[in-house]
């Protein structure tokens, strides 16, 4: 996700753009830039947040009545000055910003290289911009026509804003798969990823649709389709406030990110998983696939929620790849002088890619000859750069301190790696492999189903919000989910909660059980289900209050539970991506009911970059 802003009209463009970018920083913040036009193009861009860009260009020529600005969430090319947007074409005559992924950019880039083009960045954006310029030059056509022709060749998602050095008032915009809003003022127009950059100037907006092109001047907005047919812009009046927009209409970032999960899991699988062809394409892993396959040991190293993802991955890798897997808290692994053998594979799991314990743990392991794979969300982060290879989770910026969408994206990536390696190794049958690919492809829809059937959880939160303690129990793949559910509740509502393997209760913790103790079972239908049902009966017999995450239609578990939260049927290996969702919501709504700051819980930070 990136944030884009544009303006053309009588006002000074720069202040509007820079303020708009600050409002869009929740969409991405690893580099920023602006392009202004006053007799030529002035482009200012750098790695870092908007405020850093602002400080770096004080005193520069910022006068202009037209401009575009961008705050980046890197997908191609790590965060750096050279990869920051806006990009300029080879001639320097065009400047463009882009939000999205051009999936066939490599092919377009090769065509341009064959025509003598060179590139100053690693981005797909620069390729598209030069492709547009090449078409304009070759066909001797208008910029608008060149954009239309180019976009017909493009596959992937985009929203682009384009300016030319020889046109002091026109911004050309187009979208497919990424959001674009145009604010309609009096003799001026605003453009943005959402309405937050324009709300203080106008509440009259046009939402541009996929495959539409907008030619925007101060006093004219022309909307066309890629077939060059004029469309009538539908102007609507917004009646929402600024704060609500940044959260996409949700009350908190945490809730927004929970509900983003159908899309973020889909984004994680996109371009990698092909259930029809039976292929998993992970270029970042490919070159080490043999070493992973032949590894004697894989060590998952992480903290917190990412550690829980590693625990799920342990069960998946051992089941599918028959490779010994250990899961280590990074803070322990870095200090206890662990045995590291050459050829060991370390998988570092981290949303932020900046967790100090995880970073140092892999530095140590790397110096001892281990192969480091990073499963990271923030592109170009320290852990990503420290790793030999890896795969990004593409979950977009996770603003809420409690990790939610990053967790399910981590599971999706780790599952794809395990499937790939297991298939290469022959430790999984073709049939099971193909079935799991097909089921994995259906997970985004099943996540959406789970969210759609979660309406009762808010009432559950109201019912249990005053409990002093919670137990979370699960077996097998759902044991780490029990731990994750307990962590979510602790860090959001400040209620003490513990996760345990369900069978572990009789070794002590069952002494805690009485009529005041809510016990949450993660009890989806799997090969451990019968045993979990027995554990439920043990708790019920001691008057514990049983709340269960169950598979839709599981009457047995429902009959033993005071309250249930339902998920659809799924292979047990994939079930954690579903069974965690109700627990995320339960924690969110209990925290809310207790008046906690669910996006910024006390004592916590989003990224623990200190020991
Ligand atoms: C999870 O909700 C917490 N915010 C925390 O445990 C987090 O998972 C942990 O600090 C690891 O962070 P990372 O994934 O960015 O490395």
């Amino acid at each position: 996700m990136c944030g884009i802003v544009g303006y053309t009209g009588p006002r000074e463009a720069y202040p509007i753009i820079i303020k708009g970018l600050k409002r869009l920083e929740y969409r991405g913040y690893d580099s920023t830039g602006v392009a202004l036009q006053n007799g030529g193009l002035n482009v200012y861009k750098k790695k870092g947040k908007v405020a850093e860009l602002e400080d770096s260009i004080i005193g520069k020529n910022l006068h202009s009545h037209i401009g575009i600005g961008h705050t980046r969430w890197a997908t191609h090319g790590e965060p750096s000055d050279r990869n920051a947007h806006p990009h300029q074409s080879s001639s320097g005559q065009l400047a463009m910003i882009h939000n999205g992924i051009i999936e066939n950019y490599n092919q377009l880039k090769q065509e341009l290289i064959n025509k003598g083009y060179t590139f100053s960045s690693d981005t797909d954006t620069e390729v598209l911009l030069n492709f547009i310029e090449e078409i304009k030059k070759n066909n001797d056509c208008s910029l608008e026509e060149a954009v239309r022709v180019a976009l017909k060749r493009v596959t992937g998602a985009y929203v682009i804003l384009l300016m030319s050095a020889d046109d002091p008032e026109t911004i050309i915009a187009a979208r497919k798969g990424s959001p674009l809003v145009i604010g309609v003022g009096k003799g001026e127009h605003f453009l943005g990823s959402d309405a937050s950059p324009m709300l203080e100037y106008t509440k009259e907006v046009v939402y541009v649709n996929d495959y539409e092109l907008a030619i925007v001047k101060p006093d004219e907005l022309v909307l066309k389709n890629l077939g060059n047919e004029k469309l009538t812009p539908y102007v609507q009046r917004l009646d929402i406030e600024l704060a609500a927009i940044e959260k996409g209409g949700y009350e908190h970032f945490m809730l927004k990110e929970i509900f983003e999960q159908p899309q973020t899991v889909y984004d994680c699988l996109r371009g990698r998983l092909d259930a029809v062809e039976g292929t998993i394409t992970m270029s970042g892993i490919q070159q080490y696939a043999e070493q992973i396959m032949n590894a004697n040991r894989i060590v998952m190293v992480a903290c917190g929620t990412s550690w829980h993802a590693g625990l799920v991955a342990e069960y998946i890798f051992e089941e599918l790849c028959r490779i010994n897997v250990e899961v280590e808290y990074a803070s322990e692994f870095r200090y206890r002088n662990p045995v590291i053998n050459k050829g060991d594979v370390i998988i570092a799991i981290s949303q932020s890619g900046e967790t100090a314990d995880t970073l140092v743990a892999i530095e140590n392991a790397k110096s001892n000859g281990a192969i480091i794979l990073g499963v990271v969300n923030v592109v170009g982060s320290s852990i990503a750069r420290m790793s030999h290879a890896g795969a990004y989770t593409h979950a977009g910026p996770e603003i809420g301190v409690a990790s939610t969408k990053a967790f399910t994206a981590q599971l999706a990536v780790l599952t794809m790696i395990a499937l790939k390696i297991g298939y290469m190794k022959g430790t999984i049958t073709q049939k099971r492999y193909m079935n799991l690919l097909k089921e994995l492809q259906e997970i985004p829809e099943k996540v959406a189903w789970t969210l759609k059937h979660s309406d009762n959880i808010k009432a559950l939160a109201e019912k249990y919000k005053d409990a002093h303690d919670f137990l979370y129990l699960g077996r097998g793949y759902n044991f780490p989910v029990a731990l994750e559910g307990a962590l979510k509740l602790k860090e959001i509502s400040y209620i003490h909660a513990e996760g345990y393997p369900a069978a572990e209760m009789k070794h002590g913790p069952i002494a805690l059980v009485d009529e005041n103790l809510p016990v949450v079972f993660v009890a989806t239908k799997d090969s451990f289900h019968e045993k979990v049902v027995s554990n439920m009966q043990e708790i019920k017999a001691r008057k514990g209050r049983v709340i269960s995450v169950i598979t839709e239609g599981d009457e047995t578990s429902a009959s033993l539970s005071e309250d249930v939260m339902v998920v659809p049927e799924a292979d047990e290996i994939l079930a954690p991506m579903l069974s965690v969702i109700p627990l995320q919501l339960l924690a969110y709504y209990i925290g809310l009911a207790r008046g906690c700051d669910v996006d910024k819980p006390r004592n916590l930070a989003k990224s623990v970059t200190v020991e």
Side-chain angles (χ1 to χ4, degrees), residues 530-542:
E530 264 179 46
K531 302 288 183 196
V532 175
V533 169
S534 309
N535 299 142
M536 282 179 180
Q537 284 157 339
E538 290 158 12
I539 298 297
K540 202 166 167 54
R542 291 159 178 83

Side-chain angles (χ1 to χ4, degrees), residues 151-325:
L151 293 182
K152 287 178 183 166
R153 279 283 311 277
V154 156
T155 57
Y158 57 80
V159 60
I160 57 172
L161 301 188
L162 195 58
M163 274 168 48
S164 166
D166 56 17
D167 183 335
E169 62 171 11
T170 307
I171 294 173
I172 293 179
R175 71 149 281 181
K176 174 183 168 272
S178 295
L180 175 62
V181 186
I182 298 179
V184 182
K186 291 188 175 30
E188 58 186 1
H189 283 98
F190 306 80
L191 300 97
S193 303
D194 63 37
S196 55
M198 58 198 74
L199 213 52
E200 65 190 89
Y201 306 105
T202 177
K203 292 200 172 185
E204 308 286 313
V205 297
V206 172
Y207 286 94
V208 179
N209 299 309
D210 280 355
Y211 302 106
E212 290 181 357
L213 198 72
I215 299 92
V216 188
K217 299 175 186 290
D219 48 12
E220 187 188 30
L221 164 59
V222 175
L223 209 53
K224 293 184 176 180
N225 62 22
L226 292 187
N228 202 20
E229 291 153 342
K230 267 198 172 182
L231 307 166
T232 307
Y234 169 55
V235 183
Q236 49 190 302
R237 181 165 181 75
L238 286 179
D239 61 3
I240 46 178
E241 292 316 312
L242 187 59
I245 287 179
E246 290 169 335
K247 298 186 182 96
Y250 290 98
E251 194 178 346
H252 297 99
F253 281 112
M254 182 179 174
L255 191 61
K256 172 172 172 273
E257 288 153 10
I258 289 171
F259 276 82
E260 278 180 340
Q261 290 178 107
Q263 184 62 47
T264 49
V265 173
Y266 172 76
D267 288 345
C268 196
L269 302 174
R270 180 173 60 179
R272 292 168 162 165
L273 175 68
D274 185 331
V276 173
E277 297 298 320
T279 56
I280 293 175
T281 311
M282 303 183 90
S283 50
I285 299 282
Q286 197 52 49
Q287 63 188 91
Y288 287 89
E290 292 282 326
Q291 285 102 312
I292 303 168
M293 188 179 74
N294 299 319
N296 295 321
R297 181 176 72 141
I298 295 176
V299 184
M300 307 281 173
V301 176
C303 303
T305 288
S306 300
W307 186 82
H308 296 149
L311 219 46
V312 176
E314 175 186 23
Y315 287 63
I316 296 175
F317 272 79
E318 293 211 348
E319 165 72 16
L320 297 185
C321 310
R322 307 311 295 160
I323 299 173
N324 171 262
V325 177

Side-chain angles (χ1 to χ4, degrees), residues 303-306 349-353 355 401-403 487-488 491 608:
C303 303
T305 288
S306 300
I349 307 167
S350 177
Q351 187 287 127
S352 63
T355 298
V401 165
S403 193
L487 175 62
K488 288 279 106 37
E491 65 175 335
V608 184

Side-chain angles (χ1 to χ4, degrees), residues 471 504-514 517 539 542:
L471 272 183
E504 190 58 20
M505 288 307 298
K506 51 188 171 299
H507 301 284
I510 203 161
L512 293 171
V513 177
D514 63 20
L517 182 71
I539 298 297
R542 291 159 178 83

Side-chain angles (χ1 to χ4, degrees), residues 30-48:
D30 55 43
S31 60
T32 56
V34 295
L36 303 168
Q37 210 273 21
N38 39 37
L41 289 175
N42 290 330
V43 177
Y44 307 106
K45 61 181 188 175
K46 74 188 298 303
K47 182 179 177 183

